[in-house]
């Protein structure tokens, strides 16, 4: 509450750790409800972040945060779905075909620009945002949280807000400081990624979709290609960590060696020129033992990260921010909020739906469904809904029961394939 050097008082009601999509959406929603909000961000924006492909559901959350016009005016690459490719087989899902109500399109965004735009919008609405201030300690044992932050010059300040939202992403500030981290059930996967001037000839590929390519030999290895509106694209490969580590040389050598293993993808990228150095993230899946406690809640990646295959990260981050802002408003108005029943449990419904899809992707069942050419149109629409991010729509039979249903559906698809083969 009092700056150790200047004596300045900090009277904010909500302190948000991190200015990524979760932090910005929470800040914007809370200031619009009339609360004093302070966002403290460790880095200077714009900063690089991986995770450039959004889902259609995120636009509804952006709209509710009052940022839709700014996002629509920014000139990002329009995205209307996802394309999957494996050994000459293709399958595309157009978000407009989804069964759930809501937006049927979204954007592919360089995250440095996108995240900066969102936090500038939150600041324009009245949130106080300070960059290059890092949260280093947290104590929730007293009546009010005590949060210590350190500025770039090394000075420390103590904040005593009424509530803390941890939106620190992979920084996982409160899980680390409060010992809430728990192992992810997923095997350790890693990613190599970069941005390129893609040089893809016009018409060679649909820039309005993310392209997910399954490796020709290994079905649990996959590549993303996410085109932007500025002639650049984000590319990357995901595999089990031990698989990726077999490839020798620099990150550049390893990324391109893997791309050369898929002839179609490497033909598409034949003219690509580097726009950024190749980065590597190892073992990013994360989990926590609890998503809230007295005086705090964990948003987005600070709580859990599943896997990038269905581009669900930003949508989950924004959904958690949207839910927490609504609950905090009620709590500040004097209502009793059951954070387990009203935040953790309903948020997990969507996260578990995505988890079922991720598990189905890696065990092959969802890939059998996706690449099956004679899919029932009604079933396709419900699968398309989850792929578009509507993972909380309880009218969709795949929501909350994705894994079992995908396995049953995959069996039917395999039988259909076998029958078609024997008839031909
Ligand atoms: C390989 C890979 C590919 C991905 N692809 C996609 C994709 O295509 N689409 C998608 O939606 N998601 C994708 N994701 C996930 C996506 O990147 C994240 O889910 C998303 O960025 C989470 O948003 P957030 O707001 O929770 O956190 P972040 O965007 O990570 O923001 C957290 C902020 O907190 C700040 N911070 C950290 N520590 C501190 C501290 N101590 N004090 C103050 N500030 C701090 C950080 O500097 C950062 O700016 C991908 C992830 C990986 C690993």
């Amino acid at each position: 509450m009092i700056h150790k050097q200047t004596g300045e008082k900090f009277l904010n009601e909500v302190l948000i750790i991190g200015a990524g999509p979760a932090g910005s959406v929470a800040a914007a929603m809370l200031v619009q409800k009339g609360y004093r909000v302070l966002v403290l961000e460790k880095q200077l924006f714009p900063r690089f972040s991986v995770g450039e492909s959004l889902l259609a559901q995120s636009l509804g959350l952006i709209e509710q945060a009052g940022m839709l016009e700014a996002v629509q005016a920014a000139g990002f690459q329009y995205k209307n779905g996802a394309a999957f490719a494996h050994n000459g087989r293709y399958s595309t899902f157009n978000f407009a075909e989804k069964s759930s109500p809501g937006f049927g399109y979204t954007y592919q965004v360089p995250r440095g620009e996108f995240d900066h735009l969102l936090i500038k919008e939150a600041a324009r609405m009245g949130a106080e945002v300070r960059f290059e201030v890092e949260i280093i300690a947290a104590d929730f044992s007293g009546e009010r949280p005590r949060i210590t932050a350190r500025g770039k010059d090394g000075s420390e300040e103590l904040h005593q807000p009424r509530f803390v939202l941890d939106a620190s992403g992979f920084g996982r500030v409160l899980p680390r400081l409060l010992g809430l981290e728990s192992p992810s059930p997923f095997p350790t996967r890693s990613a190599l990624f970069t941005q390129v001037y893609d040089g893809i000839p016009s018409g060679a590929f649909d820039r309005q979709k993310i392209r997910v390519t399954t490796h020709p030999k290994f079905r649990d290895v996959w590549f993303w290609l996410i085109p932007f509106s500025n002639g650049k694209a984000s590319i990357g490969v995901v595999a089990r960590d031990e698989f990726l580590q077999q490839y020798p040389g620099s990150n550049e050598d390893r990324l391109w060696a893997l791309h050369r293993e898929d002839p179609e993808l490497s033909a598409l990228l034949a003219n690509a020129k580097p726009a950024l150095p190749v980065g590597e993230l190892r073992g990013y899946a994360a989990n926590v033992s609890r998503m809230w406690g007295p005086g705090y809640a964990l948003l987005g990646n600070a709580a859990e990260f599943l896997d990038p295959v269905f581009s669900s990260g930003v949508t989950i981050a924004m959904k958690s921010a949207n839910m927490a802002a609504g609950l905090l408003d009620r709590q500040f108005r004097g209502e009793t909020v059951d954070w387990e029943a009203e935040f953790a449990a309903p948020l997990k419904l969507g996260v578990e739906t995505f988890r079922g899809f991720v598990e189905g992707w890696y065990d092959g069942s969802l890939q059998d469904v996706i690449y099956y050419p004679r899919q029932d149109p009604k079933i396709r629409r419900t699968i398309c809904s989850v792929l578009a991010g509507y993972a909380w729509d309880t009218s969709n039979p795949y929501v909350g029961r994705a894994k079992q249903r995908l396995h049953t559906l995959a069996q039917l698809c395999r039988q259909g394939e076998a029958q078609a083969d024997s008839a031909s």
Side-chain angles (χ1 to χ4, degrees):
M1 197 158 81
I2 297 172
H3 193 291
K4 281 190 181 152
Q5 270 112 46
T6 63
E8 184 190 347
K9 285 195 174 156
F10 297 96
L11 296 169
N12 293 287
E13 287 163 303
V14 184
L15 184 122
I16 299 180
I17 310 174
S24 294
V25 164
M29 293 195 74
L30 285 164
V31 284
Q32 287 178 89
K33 290 178 197 295
Y35 299 105
R36 283 190 309 274
V37 176
L38 171 65
V39 183
L40 295 180
E41 163 58 52
K42 185 169 83 172
Q43 300 184 65
L44 183 64
F45 276 31
R47 53 94 176 92
F48 176 84
S49 171
V50 73
E52 299 102 335
S53 179
L54 304 183
L55 299 182
Q57 153 97 335
S58 65
L59 274 203
L61 298 164
I62 289 170
E63 184 179 39
Q64 285 181 48
M67 298 166 162
L68 184 62
E69 256 180 59
V71 169
Q72 284 176 327
F76 294 124
Q77 172 65 51
Y78 179 86
K79 172 185 174 185
N80 62 14
F84 297 88
H86 183 212
N87 283 338
R89 295 191 110 175
Y90 301 96
S91 179
T92 56
F93 284 82
N94 200 322
F95 289 161
E97 290 163 22
K98 70 201 166 35
S99 59
S100 306
F103 284 88
Y105 72 93
T106 185
Y107 297 101
Q108 292 165 166
V109 297
R111 284 285 302 281
E113 248 176 77
F114 177 74
D115 290 13
H116 200 196
L117 175 79
L118 297 190
I119 197 63
K120 281 192 289 190
E121 280 296 287
R124 186 183 60 74
M125 292 173 200
E128 186 188 351
V129 183
R130 290 167 56 207
F131 294 99
E132 297 184 293
V133 182
E134 181 180 6
I135 303 303
I136 53 167
D139 175 5
F140 289 87
S141 61
E143 208 174 294
R144 274 190 172 226
R146 293 168 63 83
I147 304 294
T148 309
R150 185 163 52 211
K152 205 178 149 201
D153 60 0
S155 65
E156 288 187 9
E157 56 197 39
L158 179 69
H159 295 266
Q160 291 185 277
R162 288 169 76 187
F163 205 89
V164 180
L165 292 174
D166 183 1
S168 62
F170 292 113
R172 299 172 63 73
V173 171
L174 293 187
R176 275 190 297 105
L177 294 174
L178 306 180
L180 308 174
E181 290 192 285
S182 74
S184 164
F186 288 125
T188 307
R189 293 198 173 86
S190 300
L192 285 165
F193 52 86
T194 190
Q195 288 180 8
V196 292
Y197 298 94
D198 59 74
I200 299 174
S202 103
F205 137 84
D206 181 357
R207 297 187 77 86
Q208 299 189 340
K209 292 186 176 64
I210 181 175
R211 187 189 206 264
V212 174
T213 307
T214 305
H215 187 283
K217 280 206 202 117
F218 309 105
R219 290 185 93 191
D220 64 342
V221 179
W222 61 274
F223 303 84
W224 78 73
L225 169 56
I226 303 170
F228 300 137
S229 55
N230 58 6
K232 294 187 202 171
S234 164
I235 61 169
V237 57
V238 170
R240 279 193 188 234
D241 190 59
E242 64 270 20
F243 179 90
L244 274 192
Q245 301 316 318
Q246 299 173 109
Y247 287 75
S250 65
N251 285 349
E252 274 72 13
D253 296 338
R254 297 160 65 214
L255 179 81
W256 290 110
L258 274 148
H259 275 77
R260 280 193 295 277
E261 292 178 11
D262 189 277
E264 244 186 70
L265 185 58
S266 55
L268 264 184
L269 291 171
N271 302 321
K273 302 268 178 299
L276 282 180
V278 175
E280 182 176 29
L281 266 176
R282 298 180 66 185
Y284 39 67
N287 209 345
V288 282
S289 53
R290 56 184 307 173
M291 296 172 77
W292 64 277
Y296 71 87
L298 309 180
L299 307 183
N301 267 32
E304 182 163 16
F305 182 66
L306 296 170
D307 188 275
V309 64
F310 297 117
S311 307
S312 57
V314 169
T315 301
I316 294 174
M318 290 182 170
K319 178 77 179 175
S320 63
N322 174 293
M323 289 170 68
L327 291 173
L328 259 187
D329 181 35
R330 282 181 37 210
Q331 184 163 303
F332 286 161
R333 286 167 188 272
E335 276 186 50
T336 303
V337 170
D338 180 341
W339 284 84
E340 190 58 38
E342 297 179 76
F343 176 69
L347 184 62
K348 276 184 196 156
L349 177 74
V351 174
E352 289 309 309
T353 304
F354 283 123
R355 186 193 304 283
F357 270 53
V358 169
E359 287 173 350
W361 175 264
Y362 286 107
D363 71 22
S365 55
L366 183 52
Q367 296 195 39
D368 288 343
V369 169
I370 282 175
Y371 294 119
Y372 182 60
R374 289 173 294 281
Q375 199 61 258
D376 176 286
K378 216 169 134 198
I379 294 177
R380 255 185 91 80
R381 281 200 294 277
T382 52
I383 290 184
C384 185
S385 262
V386 176
L387 296 180
Y390 295 97
W392 291 266
D393 173 6
T394 48
S395 71
N396 183 339
Y398 285 86
V399 166
R401 293 184 299 277
K403 195 174 174 187
Q404 307 88 297
R405 284 190 178 262
L406 285 174
H407 277 192
T408 312
L409 183 58
Q411 264 172 343
L412 294 173
C413 295
R414 286 174 198 136
Q415 281 164 12
E417 292 275 20
Q419 278 164 8
D421 284 350
S422 61
S424 63

